[in-house]
């Protein structure tokens, strides 16, 4: 066999990006799969995003992740957008198909895979309460709607943002979605099957912050999930566990969005356990 020293490239573009741990997880996966692929974590300011995508094409790169502030802005530079990324209105993953760069969104899909694999809960027919109406909430709600959740309730502090999200998803995804403004403490109703904190409350360095929710009326089989992964043990999840409720942390979503990205780029099954372990090590959690 002739020698082949050519590496395939994937990158993460963001600003700031230095603390993004995804590269550690993907590089471990490439090594385990025996692939001569590299994942580069690259700081790209907003005014250079167009050039970065032109560079991706020039280098024949296999794909990319987009993070703050590029998830919406990147769309106009791509050739096509996957239907769910179009509904969500944001792209966190780019994959190559021939000469085309296609926008995907794996955040919500990663959340759902974590729910199925780690918590063993299927979203179909479930009644869901989501705290927050930002990018993470939007991605999770869109995928829950497409997976057949029975009822979606958005609770958000900013009324405008919550209303816009509910209206968008009702019209674009025919989602059974309602919005309720978040004033005072929100009492989780006894018919909810899943509660998701999709706000940044509890994120480092504000680790003692807790979303103002009351879990006392919650049913015993409520699953409480948090998108915050730094730290993965949030005050919300600790409170839920004290009450005997099942929990799902933000690491699951982060690992599985990476797993799905790996599979989109390489066409291979991802080494999930290796990726989860690499992520924990990168975040110094063990
Ligand atoms: P956005 O800025 O788009 O949205 C933030 C949301 O949090 C808004 O709904 C905002 O409400 C709400 N919020 C923030 N602070 C408060 C507060 N003090 N009280 C009430 N509501 C508040 O952020 P993203 O959606 O992109 O990210 C949210 C979180 O999800 C982050 O912690 C991020 O790290 C995490 N994330 C995790 C991923 C994973 O893989 N685990 C993937 C992507 C994100 P309002 O509209 O009223 O301002």
């Amino acid at each position: 066999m002739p020698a082949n020293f050519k590496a395939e490239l994937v990158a993460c573009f963001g600003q700031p990006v230095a603390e993004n741990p995804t590269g550690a997880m993907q590089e471990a996966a490439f090594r385990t799969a025996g692939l001569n692929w590299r994942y580069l974590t690259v700081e790209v300011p907003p005014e250079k995003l167009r050039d970065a995508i032109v560079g991706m094409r020039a280098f024949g790169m296999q794909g990319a992740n987009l993070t703050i502030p590029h998830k919406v802005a990147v769309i106009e530079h791509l050739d096509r957008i996957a239907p769910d990324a179009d509904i969500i209105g944001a792209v966190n993953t780019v994959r190559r198909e021939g000469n085309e760069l296609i926008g995907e969104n794996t955040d919500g899909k990663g959340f759902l895979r974590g729910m199925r694999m780690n918590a063993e809960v299927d979203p179909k027919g479930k009644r869901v309460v989501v705290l927050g109406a930002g990018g993470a909430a939007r991605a999770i709600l869109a995928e829950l709607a497409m997976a057949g959740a029975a009822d979606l309730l958005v609770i958000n502090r900013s009324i405008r943002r919550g209303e816009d999200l509910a209206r968008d998803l009702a019209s674009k995804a025919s989602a059974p979605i309602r919005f309720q403004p978040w004033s005072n403490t929100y009492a989780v109703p006894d018919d909810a099957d899943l509660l998701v904190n999709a706000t940044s409350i509890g994120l480092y360095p504000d680790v003692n912050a807790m979303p103002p929710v009351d879990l006392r009326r919650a049913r015993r089989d409520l699953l409480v999930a948090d998108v915050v992964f730094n730290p993965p043990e949030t005050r919300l999840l600790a409170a839920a566990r004290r009450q005997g409720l099942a929990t799902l942390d933000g690491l699951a979503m982060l690992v599985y969005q990476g797993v799905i990205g790996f599979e989109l780029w390489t066409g291979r099954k991802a080494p999930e356990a290796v990726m989860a372990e690499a992520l924990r090590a990168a975040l110094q959690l063990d």
Side-chain angles (χ1 to χ4, degrees):
M1 205 164 65
N4 180 2
F5 298 108
K6 174 178 174 289
E8 300 299 337
L9 300 179
V10 181
C12 176
F13 298 143
Q15 187 184 50
V17 80
E19 288 183 13
N20 191 307
T22 302
M25 172 168 74
Q26 296 294 359
E27 290 260 312
F30 294 150
R31 271 195 306 278
T32 302
L35 293 169
N36 185 17
W37 286 44
R38 299 286 179 279
Y39 187 103
L40 310 170
T41 301
V42 184
E43 180 138 323
V44 175
E47 67 278 11
K48 295 289 185 198
L49 180 63
R50 170 187 293 276
D51 293 351
I53 303 299
V54 170
M56 270 188 81
R57 294 181 194 276
F59 288 176
M61 288 173 66
Q62 296 292 345
N65 283 133
L66 284 307
T67 186
I68 289 170
H70 302 316
K71 288 186 180 184
V72 176
V74 74
I75 291 174
E76 64 170 302
H77 304 302
L78 303 175
D79 300 300
R80 270 192 293 133
I81 304 294
D84 59 340
D86 191 32
I87 290 171
I88 296 161
V91 161
N92 78 333
T93 301
V94 173
R95 68 181 172 90
R96 165 178 295 281
E97 206 178 283
N99 283 328
E100 287 193 322
L101 295 181
I102 298 157
E104 302 270 353
N105 197 312
T106 64
D107 278 338
K109 290 193 185 78
F111 178 83
L112 258 62
R113 207 185 294 193
M115 206 176 140
R116 291 186 171 114
M117 302 296 291
N118 294 20
E120 296 177 6
V121 173
D122 190 299
K124 193 167 168 52
K126 295 292 186 291
R127 301 179 69 83
V128 183
V129 176
V130 172
L131 309 171
R138 194 170 260 273
I140 288 169
L141 284 158
E143 298 295 344
L144 284 169
M146 285 184 272
D151 184 62
L152 302 170
L153 175 60
V154 180
I155 306 290
N156 199 54
R157 181 181 57 178
S158 145
I159 293 177
R160 176 77 184 274
R161 213 168 179 194
E163 281 178 347
D164 286 354
L165 169 55
R167 191 179 338 98
D168 257 28
L169 289 189
S171 70
K172 288 187 189 167
S174 306
I177 190 166
R178 297 171 291 137
F179 166 67
Q180 190 177 314
W182 198 349
S183 45
N184 306 318
T185 299
Y186 174 71
V188 179
D190 60 6
D191 64 351
D193 301 298
L194 169 65
L195 172 72
V196 185
N197 174 39
T199 74
S200 43
I201 301 173
L203 180 65
Y204 179 86
D206 209 1
V207 298
N208 287 320
M210 156 101 183
V213 292
D214 180 350
L215 293 171
R216 281 176 300 187
R217 271 169 53 198
R219 47 198 280 180
R220 293 176 60 81
D221 59 353
L222 174 74
L223 172 64
V224 180
D226 208 322
V227 299
V228 170
F229 63 84
N230 182 22
E233 173 74 354
T234 59
R235 269 192 68 194
L236 173 66
L237 296 190
R241 257 199 303 278
R242 271 199 305 278
Q243 235 179 271
L245 301 172
T247 60
L248 179 67
D249 69 28
L251 280 181
M253 176 175 173
L254 188 61
V255 169
Y256 285 111
Q257 63 80 26
V259 162
I260 295 166
F262 179 97
E263 292 174 351
L264 287 172
W265 296 323
T266 67
R268 297 205 190 181
K269 171 117 185 58
E272 294 178 11
V274 168
M275 294 175 79
E277 200 180 307
L279 189 65
R280 291 190 72 84
L283 294 170
Q284 301 179 326
L285 290 172
D286 292 317

